[in-house]
């Protein structure tokens, strides 16, 4: 009943996607409430594909596979599973570099997880960055990884796709609405680092 006052006094409601509308109904929003589903928009003049990505074999010592994540470092973003996927790739002989942009209350926990998994040299935690640097890192990357366990909608995933960067993400809540599975990236079950690694390896 937490949202009862909202539903009682609202004339119309706006949601970023179908999953949030479903969750609102689960929390008491009347099914006949006037509503609109309007996803976030990004500046496609700013987020454009780079002139060209390396057309060489990647995943070797000479040219590691470049993986990028962007977002707050909080529990729901699932970075521990992303780090674990990098560990799996390393074990399979795929040399990779994983950069995480963001800050948050789980920064130290994720840093410790990479130590526990023995991938400190492969996983760099860059902290918060300005939009221009985020864009530069997306140009650097070969793939965008979003291993979230819960997500409403993710602007960074949209930005990555606008830059023609393939996305590997989970099916967390509304996240699967962002990616065309098999076309602009891959969607796998949440909390499954082995499956994340398998899709990353395909790219």
């Amino acid at each position: 009943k937490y949202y009862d006052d909202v539903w009682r006094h609202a004339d119309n409601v706006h949601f970023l996607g179908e999953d949030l509308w479903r969750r609102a109904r689960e929390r008491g929003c009347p099914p006949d409430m006037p509503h609109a589903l309007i996803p976030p928009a990004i500046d496609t003049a700013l987020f454009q594909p780079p002139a060209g990505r390396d057309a060489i074999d990647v995943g070797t010592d000479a040219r590691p596979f470049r993986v990028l994540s962007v977002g707050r470092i909080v529990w729901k973003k699932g970075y521990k599973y992303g780090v674990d996927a990098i560990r799996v790739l390393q074990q399979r002989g795929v040399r990779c570099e994983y950069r995480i942009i963001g800050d948050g209350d789980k920064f130290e926990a994720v840093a410790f997880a990479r130590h526990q998994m023995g991938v400190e040299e492969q996983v760099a935690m860059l902290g918060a960055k300005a939009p221009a640097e985020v864009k530069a890192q997306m140009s650097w990357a070969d793939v965008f990884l979003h291993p979230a366990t819960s997500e409403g909608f993710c602007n960074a995933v949209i930005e990555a796709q606008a830059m023609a960067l393939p996305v590997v993400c989970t099916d967390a809540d509304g996240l699967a609405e962002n990616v065309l599975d098999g076309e602009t990236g891959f969607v796998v079950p949440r909390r499954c680092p082995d499956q994340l690694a398998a899709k990353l390896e395909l790219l």
Side-chain angles (χ1 to χ4, degrees), residues 41-96:
I42 63 166
D43 184 353
T44 54
L46 174 63
F47 290 97
Q48 291 189 346
R53 301 190 190 277
D54 292 339
I56 61 174
D57 289 337
V58 301
T60 65
D61 289 334
R63 173 57 165 83
F65 184 47
R66 299 170 177 174
V67 184
L68 178 69
S69 290
V70 179
R72 293 174 298 127
I73 302 185
V74 295
W75 72 267
K76 64 185 269 182
K77 299 296 184 180
Y79 289 121
K80 179 181 73 171
Y81 302 104
V83 172
D84 203 1
I86 298 303
R87 177 190 63 79
V88 173
L89 286 178
Q90 286 289 122
Q91 289 180 341
R92 293 177 180 172
V94 179
R95 296 295 172 254
C96 48

Side-chain angles (χ1 to χ4, degrees), residues 51-178:
R53 301 190 190 277
D54 292 339
I56 61 174
D57 289 337
V58 301
T60 65
D61 289 334
R63 173 57 165 83
F65 184 47
R66 299 170 177 174
V67 184
L68 178 69
S69 290
V70 179
R72 293 174 298 127
I73 302 185
V74 295
W75 72 267
K76 64 185 269 182
K77 299 296 184 180
Y79 289 121
K80 179 181 73 171
Y81 302 104
V83 172
D84 203 1
I86 298 303
R87 177 190 63 79
V88 173
L89 286 178
Q90 286 289 122
Q91 289 180 341
R92 293 177 180 172
V94 179
R95 296 295 172 254
C96 48
E97 295 180 23
Y98 181 28
R99 295 180 181 178
I100 302 173
I101 295 178
D103 206 352
D105 62 7
K106 297 301 180 185
F107 190 97
E108 290 184 0
V110 175
F112 184 62
R114 68 179 177 166
H115 166 73
Q116 282 185 310
M117 297 179 197
V119 291
E120 286 176 288
E121 292 185 6
Q122 290 76 35
V123 180
M125 301 183 66
L126 306 184
K129 296 294 180 184
E133 178 60 20
V134 172
K135 179 185 175 185
Q137 291 295 326
M138 286 186 176
S139 294
W140 165 88
D142 297 311
V143 62
F144 188 90
L145 175 62
H146 195 59
T149 60
S150 178
E151 187 69 80
F153 216 84
C154 183
N155 284 4
V157 166
I158 303 172
E159 292 166 356
Q161 290 174 99
M163 294 187 66
L165 192 59
V167 173
V168 174
C169 70
T170 68
D171 60 359
D173 305 319
L175 187 54
E177 296 178 51
N178 291 25

